[in-house]
């Protein structure tokens, strides 16, 4: 696992707006963040993805200036943020709880920060109106904040931050409190909004699907470290390690030993072909196989990468079928996702072969 | 009140953290800065006076002259033995000056009795409020709290009106023809003091107990029933232990201040119902021996503190053993 | 529900127990007799009318109100920043500092009274006055004011203040635009409670007052004179009614604030 992930792999790296340089954060003896170092480009939709407690929210709060890093430097648009308090940073945040001020109505909530900009009455009113329109809350200006639904609160929080025209908008799991349908709707809106406004978004989430839907690039955070940064496709197709591979989507992992530039030895299962990059012969490794890249064939099947076994479980999901296939010599059954075709669902216990093209396999060092 | 008990409990929790981080240090400075007016006030009006009281207790007074040489004479006086035996409630005291010892023991017993009575009275009420009242809870809570905030002096005085020789009970029973002459045993005795103390504090204690009951997750009770507990068993195994910490801190908030109570024994105690607070007052005024009075107050506080500590240690020990047994 | 009636009966008896004795005061205060005895002799308000002719009562009332007003303001002003420190800051030594501020709850007031008496008279040589009473009262009120404010500040999410900072407000602006208005019900209730506690406090006032009386001290001096009983009952009833009104007001304000300002329950 690399502390400074190679960013060259990603296709587009826009001019950096945020430079996060070797930031660490400890709470007492606990290291919440360790040696975080990367940049975020201007106009990028950037997500921090990780399980709860991994440090992603802490990093976001450091960007906002609510928390101070223990060591390291943060530069936003060329300006060092050391000693710049939260109220003087060109960032604004959408809080997970939304933090709608309960004693103010919608309009006053949105205008809260504008008062500090001293724009004059007309400009303030104009901006509030614009913001209300942007989040589709026209006509809600005088609404009492207690009388808002969850989705509306989320929109007010968004408008309140956007109306400040921040260089960077920070979003702390803003959709996690919404139900599934509303969440999907908001995802599309957020993405469209970000494209139109061209503002850099830094988005914290634990939901990989959400991160993949929204982001230009994603940083995978685990235990206070960044495991890998890249576009959704990069991360899915070319995970830098086992943890990332298992984190994004579903992945079968087979213990193997590297035996050549394009082959591995899977012990009792025999030799298998897969492209090997940068691992010398004899290295213990994992052969990673996405379930949807595997095919099931009844009986023996063609030559090539092939493992024989029996269907242990079949789950019919309409558009696809999930199989678990017991392979003699493998501790865990292989997961296989088959598209639903006219062929009937295989019966439990049917003898099958699991096959895949060489390039579907990914050899990951331990 | 809930908040008071809660905040008092909080004070005992959470230890120091993060000393090294500069951001933490800044936060600590700001925190102490914000607290400093209150802390300074507490030092000036509570800590320094208590320190002065301690200093004074090591001096001596005879007549109008104060002797400022350091001495333990006042403390010695409280425990100095003598051949003369004094009997009180079946206890024999061989002390030259047994009054403080007797009064301290008496105060502790009376206040302990009152505390137990308060808990026994308040717990069912709090239980009713937490589990049986579903509507107008706020109104109930206000109804139960209001008496505590009304004048302590008047609440105590009202018992004099109720229990007095010419009081409500006596005149009421006489006018109903149940008794011919006033009952004299109602007022001016330790029982009257204990009843009055219990009455004065019971409205303070319902709320903290109620809160500790209210905090119990209802699904835990459902789980206990689901696992076969009867109602009573469930109360004993789930409700009671979970409400214990709140109840205990509530009990301490009654016990500690009542030992040194002054108003109640003065008004309804009579000669038989005096407590240690009255002695302190007399030493400072009529008997003009402030240093001895200081020593008596400090010894009283020390004994209360020691009792509370022993009690809490015992509970900690008992809980630890219960956990190990489980 | 089994035992429902048992509990209800108990609750009614409980309420009767805590209110019964106290209600004797207003009852006998309108009784046309010089003794607090049954049977009742008839309704009269003359005991109340007599109160207004007695200068000492009016003077004591004035003293008590002035002390209570000053004490409640000072205690609240001092407790507010402390409550912010308790709820919003993490630092070493916070718990002991908080415990220290809650100490007056567990120090018997007679000990506090004599300790103040000693330092004021013997160490500082200041004559006793209403000022010394007020000093004692501030300390007695502090734990209560602090508790009310702490629980109020805990009632709303700390991320509100972070949001305010994030939207460009410096700490002082955040206080005035956000914390203060949100804490206002707690502040008012702290002021009212401080006022009541000081107004009703007897022991410290009894020890620390000079030549001037507070109302409870005056009342106490009258308790031992049987022939002033009717006046005492009337005065006591008035005090009870006044403090009951204030407490109910304080509670209602605080509770209404709490329920309407919790955005969590959408």
């Amino acid at each position: 696992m690399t502390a400074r992930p190679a960013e060259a792999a990603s296709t587009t790296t826009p001019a950096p707006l945020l430079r996060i340089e070797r930031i660490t954060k400890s709470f007492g003896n606990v290291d919440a963040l360790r040696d975080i170092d990367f940049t975020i480009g201007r106009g990028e939709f950037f997500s921090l993805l990780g399980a709860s407690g991994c440090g992603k929210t802490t990093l976001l709060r450091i960007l906002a200036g609510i928390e101070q890093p223990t060591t390291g430097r943060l530069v936003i648009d060329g300006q060092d943020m050391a000693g710049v308090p939260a109220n003087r940073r060109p960032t604004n945040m959408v809080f997970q709880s939304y933090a709608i001020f309960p004693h103010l109505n919608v309009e006053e909530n949105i205008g809260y920060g504008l008062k500090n900009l001293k724009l004059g009455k007309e400009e303030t009113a104009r901006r509030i109106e614009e913001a209300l329109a942007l989040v589709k809350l026209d006509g809600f200006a005088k609404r009492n904040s207690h009388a808002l639904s969850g989705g509306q609160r989320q929109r007010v929080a968004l408008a309140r931050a956007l109306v400040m025209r921040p260089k960077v908008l920070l979003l702390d799991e803003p959709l996690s409190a919404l139900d599934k349908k509303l969440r999907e709707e908001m995802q599309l809106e957020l993405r469209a909004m970000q494209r139109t406004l061209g503002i850099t978004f830094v988005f914290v989430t634990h939901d990989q699907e959400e991160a993949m839907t929204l982001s230009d690039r994603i940083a995978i955070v685990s235990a206070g470290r960044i495991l890998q940064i890249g576009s959704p496709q990069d991360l899915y197709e070319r995970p830098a390690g086992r943890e990332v591979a298992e984190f994004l989507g579903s992945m079968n992992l087979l213990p193997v030993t590297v035996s050549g530039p394009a082959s591995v030895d899977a012990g009792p299962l025999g030799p298998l072909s897969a492209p090997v990059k940068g691992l010398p012969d004899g290295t213990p490794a994992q052969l990673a196989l996405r379930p949807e890249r595997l095919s099931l064939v009844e009986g023996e099947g063609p030559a090539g990468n092939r493992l024989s076994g029996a269907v242990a479980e079949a789950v019919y999901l309409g558009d696809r079928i999930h199989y678990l296939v017991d392979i003699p010599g493998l501790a865990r059954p292989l997961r296989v996702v088959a598209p639903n075709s006219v062929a009937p669902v295989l019966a439990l216990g049917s003898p099958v072969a699991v096959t895949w093209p060489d390039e579907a396999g990914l050899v990951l060092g331990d | 009140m809930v908040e008071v008990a809660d905040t008092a409990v909080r004070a005992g929790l959470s230890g120091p953290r993060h000393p090294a981080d500069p951001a933490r240090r800044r936060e600590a400075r700001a925190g102490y800065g914000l607290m400093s007016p209150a802390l300074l006030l507490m030092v000036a009006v509570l800590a320094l006076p208590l320190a002065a009281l301690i200093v004074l207790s090591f001096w001596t007074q005879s007549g109008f002259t104060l002797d400022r040489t350091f001495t333990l004479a006042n403390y010695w006086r409280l425990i100095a033995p003598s051949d003369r035996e004094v009997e009180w409630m079946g206890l024999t005291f061989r002390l030259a000056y047994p009054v403080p010892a007797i009064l301290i023991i008496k105060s502790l017993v009376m206040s302990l009795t009152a505390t137990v009575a308060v808990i026994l009275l308040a717990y069912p009420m709090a239980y009713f409020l937490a589990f049986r009242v579903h509507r107008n809870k706020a109104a109930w809570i206000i109804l139960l709290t209001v008496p505590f905030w009304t004048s302590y002096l008047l609440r105590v005085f009202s018992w004099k009106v109720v229990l007095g020789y010419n009081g409500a009970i006596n005149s009421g029973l006489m006018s109903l023809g149940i008794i011919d002459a006033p009952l004299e045993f109602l007022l001016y005795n330790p029982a009257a003091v204990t009843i009055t103390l219990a009455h004065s504090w019971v409205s303070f204690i319902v709320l903290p107990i109620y809160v500790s009951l209210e905090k119990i997750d209802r699904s835990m009770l459902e789980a206990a029933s689901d696992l076969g507990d009867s109602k009573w068993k469930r109360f004993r195994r789930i409700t009671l232990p979970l409400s214990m910490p709140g109840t205990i801190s509530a009990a301490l908030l009654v016990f500690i201040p009542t030992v040194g109570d002054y108003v109640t024994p003065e008004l309804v105690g009579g000669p038989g119902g005096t407590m240690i607070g009255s002695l302190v007052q007399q030493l400072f005024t009529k008997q003009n021996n402030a240093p001895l009075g200081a020593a008596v107050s400090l010894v009283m506080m020390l004994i209360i503190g020691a009792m509370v500590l022993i009690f809490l240690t015992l509970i900690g020990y008992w809980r630890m053993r219960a956990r190990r047994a489980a | 529900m089994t035992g429902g009636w048992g509990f209800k009966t108990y609750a009614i008896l409980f309420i009767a127990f805590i209110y019964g004795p106290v209600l004797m005061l207003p009852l006998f205060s309108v009784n046309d007799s010089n003794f607090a005895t049954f049977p009742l002799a008839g309704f009269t308000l003359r005991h109340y009318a007599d109160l207004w002719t007695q200068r000492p009562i009016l003077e004591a009332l004035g003293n008590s109100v002035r002390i209570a007003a000053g004490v409640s303001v000072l205690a609240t002003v001092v407790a507010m920043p402390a409550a912010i420190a308790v709820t919003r800051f993490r630092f070493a030594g916070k718990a002991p500092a908080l415990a220290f501020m809650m100490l007056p709850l567990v120090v018997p007031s007679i000990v506090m009274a004599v300790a103040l008496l000693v330092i004021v008279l013997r160490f500082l040589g200041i004559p006793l006055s209403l000022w010394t009473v007020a000093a004692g009262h501030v300390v007695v009120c502090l734990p209560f004011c602090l508790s009310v404010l702490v629980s109020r500040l805990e009632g709303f999410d700390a991320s509100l203040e972070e949001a305010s900072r994030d939207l460009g407000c410096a700490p002082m602006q955040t206080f005035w635009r956000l914390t203060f208005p949100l804490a206002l019900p707690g502040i008012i209730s702290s002021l009212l409670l401080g006022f009541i506690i000081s107004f009703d406090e007897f022991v410290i006032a009894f020890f620390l007052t000079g030549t001037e009386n507070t109302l409870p001290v005056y009342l106490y001096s009258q308790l031992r004179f049987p022939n002033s009983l009717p006046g005492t009952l009337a005065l006591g009833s008035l005090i009870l009614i006044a403090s009951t009104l204030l407490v109910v007001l304080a509670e209602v304000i605080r509770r209404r604030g709490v329920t309407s300002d919790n955005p969590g329950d959408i």
Side-chain angles (χ1 to χ4, degrees), chain B residues 32-139:
Chain B
Y32 278 113
L34 288 169
M35 272 193 179
S36 59
L39 288 176
L40 283 178
L41 191 75
M42 292 295 304
V43 168
V45 190
L46 188 71
L48 286 180
L50 283 177
L53 197 67
I54 294 171
V55 171
L56 183 72
S57 74
F58 294 116
W59 293 346
T60 41
Q61 175 118 19
S62 50
F64 283 102
T65 45
L66 183 68
D67 184 354
R68 295 197 168 158
T69 33
F70 176 89
T71 168
L72 290 171
N74 294 315
Y75 292 98
W76 175 243
R77 240 193 115 182
L78 301 180
I79 52 165
S82 122
D83 298 332
R84 202 162 50 93
E85 284 187 6
V86 178
E87 270 242 340
W88 176 77
M89 299 287 284
L91 296 172
T92 314
F93 291 82
R94 291 167 192 278
L95 295 174
Y97 180 44
V99 179
I102 291 177
L103 282 181
I104 283 178
I105 293 173
K106 196 168 141 195
S107 305
L108 289 174
V109 171
M110 282 163 73
S111 143
L112 210 58
T113 316
T115 305
V116 171
V118 163
I119 297 296
L120 291 181
L121 285 171
Y123 198 95
M125 187 64 223
Y127 187 92
F128 171 71
L129 191 59
F131 294 108
R132 299 298 167 86
V133 176
H134 304 291
R135 272 177 299 163
N136 301 325
K137 264 197 185 183

Side-chain angles (χ1 to χ4, degrees), chain C residues 39-125:
Chain C
L40 298 175
F43 181 81
T44 178
L45 286 176
R46 78 182 148 89
H47 304 317
Y48 287 89
D50 290 348
L51 290 181
W52 302 107
T53 61
Q54 297 181 37
R55 274 194 68 83
I57 294 182
L58 298 177
E59 275 169 17
L61 173 69
N63 293 338
S64 279
V65 168
R66 268 184 295 153
I67 292 179
V71 161
S72 66
V73 170
L74 184 58
T76 304
V77 165
V78 164
M80 186 64 195
I84 291 177
V86 168
T87 50
R88 297 293 188 264
F89 289 77
R90 287 170 297 183
F91 52 92
K94 187 168 86 175
L98 180 59
F100 179 53
M101 289 188 283
M102 299 304 282
L103 203 56
L105 273 185
V106 291
V107 176
S109 41
I110 191 155
V111 175
M112 243 189 280
V114 296
L116 274 164
L117 192 70
V118 165
I119 198 164
V120 163
L121 287 183
R122 309 226 174 196
F123 286 78
L124 301 173

Side-chain angles (χ1 to χ4, degrees), chain B residues 1 3-4 7-8 10-11 13-14 16-18 24 27-28 30-32 34-35 37-39 41-43 45-50 52-53 55-56 59 61 66 68 120-122 124-125 127-128 132 138 140-155 157-162 166-168 171-172 175 195 198-199 202-204 206-207 231 253 256-257 260 262-263 266-267 277-278 280-281 284 288 290-291 297 300-301 304, chain C residues 1-4 7-8 10-11 14-15 17-19 21-22 24-25 28 35-39 74 78-79 81-82 84-108 110-112 114-119 122-123 135-136 138-139 142-144 146-148 150-151 154 193 196-197 200 202-203 206-207 216-217 219-220 223-224 229 232-233 236-237 239-240 243-244 247-248 251-252 254-255:
Chain B
M1 286 253 319
E3 293 79 16
V4 177
T7 315
R10 228 180 124 97
L13 306 172
S14 84
R17 250 169 253 144
H18 345 294
R24 291 271 164 263
E27 198 174 337
Y32 278 113
L34 288 169
M35 272 193 179
L39 288 176
L41 191 75
M42 292 295 304
V43 168
V45 190
L46 188 71
L48 286 180
L50 283 177
L53 197 67
V55 171
L56 183 72
W59 293 346
Q61 175 118 19
L66 183 68
R68 295 197 168 158
L120 291 181
L121 285 171
M125 187 64 223
Y127 187 92
F128 171 71
R132 299 298 167 86
W140 272 96
I141 290 172
I142 292 178
L143 189 69
L144 288 167
T145 340
V146 160
F148 181 75
W149 296 106
T150 57
S151 166
Y152 190 71
L153 186 64
L154 287 170
R155 272 181 289 148
F157 174 63
S158 69
W159 279 97
K160 202 171 163 168
V161 172
V162 171
N166 281 320
S171 61
S175 69
I195 292 173
H199 174 256
V202 78
S203 51
F204 180 66
V206 173
L207 273 196
K231 268 192 181 161
L253 281 180
I256 298 171
Y262 170 71
V263 175
E266 279 297 301
L267 285 180
S278 312
V280 171
Q281 190 260 343
F284 270 90
N288 193 26
S297 355
M300 168 180 86
M301 294 230 317
I304 299 173
Chain C
M1 193 161 277
T2 50
F7 266 120
K8 223 168 254 174
Y10 183 79
F14 188 90
I15 299 282
F17 174 63
I18 59 175
Y19 280 91
V22 184
M24 292 296 147
L25 302 185
F28 287 120
F35 304 99
T37 52
F38 289 112
L74 184 58
V78 164
I84 291 177
V86 168
T87 50
R88 297 293 188 264
F89 289 77
R90 287 170 297 183
F91 52 92
K94 187 168 86 175
L98 180 59
F100 179 53
M101 289 188 283
M102 299 304 282
L103 203 56
L105 273 185
V106 291
V107 176
I110 191 155
V111 175
M112 243 189 280
V114 296
L116 274 164
L117 192 70
V118 165
I119 198 164
R122 309 226 174 196
F123 286 78
V138 172
V139 170
L142 191 68
F144 292 93
L146 188 63
S147 306
V148 169
V150 162
S151 88
E154 271 176 348
L193 285 186
I196 297 159
I197 293 168
D200 284 340
F202 165 70
V203 175
F206 180 60
F207 278 84
V217 175
L219 197 65
Y220 186 76
L223 293 185
R224 56 187 98 154
L229 182 67
T232 309
L233 291 172
S237 306
I239 296 175
L240 283 178
S243 31
T244 303
V247 180
V248 172
E251 282 290 291
V252 166
R254 202 166 55 84
R255 280 171 194 286

Side-chain angles (χ1 to χ4, degrees), chain A residues 34-47:
Chain A
R34 289 182 258 184
D35 203 19
I36 303 291
D37 196 304
F38 65 95
T39 60
I40 296 175
R42 203 177 289 275
E44 227 186 332
F45 199 123
F46 191 94
S47 290

Side-chain angles (χ1 to χ4, degrees), chain A residues 220-270:
Chain A
I220 305 222
V221 191
S222 171
R225 286 176 189 283
I226 291 193
L227 299 180
Q228 191 177 4
I229 297 178
S231 67
Q233 199 179 353
D234 277 341
L235 297 177
Y236 192 79
E237 309 273 345
R238 288 175 288 282
R242 182 180 169 162
E243 227 179 317
V244 177
E246 284 190 299
F247 193 86
L248 271 192
S250 175
M251 188 72 102
N252 293 299
L253 290 171
L254 279 62
V256 294
T257 314
V258 177
S259 58
S263 64
V264 293
D265 178 16
L269 303 176

